[in-house]
Amino acid sequence: MNETLKAWVKESKRIVFFGGAGVSTESGIPDFRSVDGLYNTQYKYPPETILSHGFFMRETEEFYRFYRNKMLFPDAQPNAAHRKLAQWEAEGKLLGVVTQNIDGLHQAAGSKKVYELHGSVLRNYCMRCGKFYDLDYMMKSDGVPKCACGGLVKPDVVLYGENLDSDVIQGACNAISQADMLIIGGTSLAVYPAASFIDLYRGHRMVLVNLSPTPQDSRADLVIHERIGQVFSEL
Ligand code: CNA
């Protein structure tokens, strides 16, 4: 057990969590690198290419083949990290969760203030009429999912080459700038602009919990290279 982390959590009243794919690996959802590794044997392009706006518009069928195989995990359940963050919010000591994940597991654990920088696979919209479709519809549809109106259904996920939602950015940035403790976890901090939002934190309790080193390790006040679910289960 990391006693410094435990003490800081106890003393802090406005914790913000900033996370990425590594938060959900202990729930059975591979992170980006793992997807990359798996992908190499089955797909002609790297995930960054397939998960881009241009590819979605040009090669929609191939996009959905990858998306259904690698991005949808309808049976995944929240782990100890998701659950602890929801508990802190309910106790009034966490301002919010800023996540790059698109899996909805923070909300499944009970978190209410979740800033989903890259959207969610749980929401899908017709690009022509705007009708909403849920994850179940996407799982059951074959090939390219179409709306009743004939329009193309697109996941509410921010693809490479698309802009982040400005309200979500504002909420995330407000939360981080008001935090008295920032815990960053399960992210390589390699995807921009998301990774730049941690620059808004002005306090002295920046904690990084990540299995592998990140480019920001040297500026954190505490660095823990362990599994985040394991670390949070001991708090
Ligand atoms: P990333 O670049 O794949 O980095 C993940 C980081 O997490 C790596 O540095 C790992 O070392 C670390 N890690 C893995 N497992 C653990 C663990 N159990 N405990 C602690 N650290 C761990 O992913 P990022 O989120 O940084 O950014 C890239 C993309 C991947 C984001 O835009 C996501 O939307 C996207 N993505 C999301 C999901 C999801 O929603 N669960 C899954 C796969 C990819």
Side-chain angles (χ1 to χ4, degrees):
M1 167 79 285
N2 190 296
E3 293 305 327
T4 307
L5 176 60
K6 201 171 184 175
W8 285 358
V9 166
K10 198 166 172 219
E11 290 161 18
S12 300
K13 296 185 175 69
R14 297 187 311 279
I15 301 171
V16 169
F17 181 81
F18 180 95
V23 175
S24 295
T25 55
E26 286 159 273
S27 294
I29 302 180
D31 65 15
F32 206 84
R33 281 163 209 269
S34 308
V35 171
D36 200 2
L38 284 172
Y39 147 75
N40 276 330
T41 55
Q42 284 183 48
Y43 296 89
K44 273 190 289 177
Y45 307 96
E48 290 89 337
T49 304
I50 300 179
L51 298 172
S52 69
H53 182 79
F55 194 91
F56 174 79
M57 298 309 290
R58 266 192 328 272
E59 302 207 36
T60 317
E61 198 162 343
E62 180 67 357
F63 170 92
Y64 272 116
R65 191 166 77 88
F66 176 88
Y67 181 79
R68 284 206 186 83
N69 278 340
K70 303 291 174 215
M71 306 303 286
L72 300 183
F73 296 86
D75 300 326
Q77 297 296 321
N79 63 49
H82 301 103
R83 289 195 298 271
K84 185 62 73 177
L85 291 164
Q87 181 194 320
W88 290 344
E89 184 184 345
E91 290 170 359
K93 59 192 284 107
L94 180 127
L95 288 184
V97 169
V98 180
T99 184
Q100 299 162 86
N101 291 350
I102 54 178
D103 55 33
L105 288 185
H106 286 293
Q107 291 92 332
S111 285
K112 306 274 183 258
K113 289 235 170 61
V114 184
Y115 302 100
E116 294 177 310
L117 296 175
H118 296 156
S120 171
V121 299
L122 304 187
R123 300 184 298 267
N124 307 276
Y125 294 97
C126 171
M127 292 180 80
R128 189 189 289 170
C129 73
K131 186 171 169 13
F132 170 86
Y133 289 91
D134 62 10
L135 178 59
D136 200 42
Y137 175 82
M138 301 303 268
M139 295 298 298
K140 286 181 179 153
S141 60
D142 274 333
V144 176
K146 288 282 176 64
C147 178
C149 80
L152 173 60
V153 177
K154 181 181 180 293
D156 189 15
V157 164
V158 180
L159 300 175
Y160 288 93
E162 293 179 343
N163 291 327
L164 276 56
D165 182 280
S166 56
D167 288 344
V168 176
I169 294 181
Q170 201 178 343
C173 291
N174 275 346
I176 293 171
S177 57
Q178 288 167 31
D180 61 359
M181 176 173 185
L182 180 65
I183 307 178
I184 302 164
T187 172
S188 59
L189 292 173
V191 175
Y192 282 80
S196 64
F197 297 157
I198 65 168
D199 295 345
L200 294 166
Y201 178 64
R202 294 275 169 256
H204 299 286
R205 288 174 187 159
M206 182 193 277
V207 182
L208 238 162
V209 186
N210 206 60
L211 272 184
S212 55
T214 80
Q216 305 297 340
D217 281 16
S218 59
R219 59 185 277 215
D221 301 296
L222 177 65
V223 178
I224 302 172
H225 288 152
E226 290 171 37
R227 291 186 177 281
I228 192 160
Q230 183 62 41
V231 170
F232 272 57
S233 70
E234 292 168 6
L235 287 173

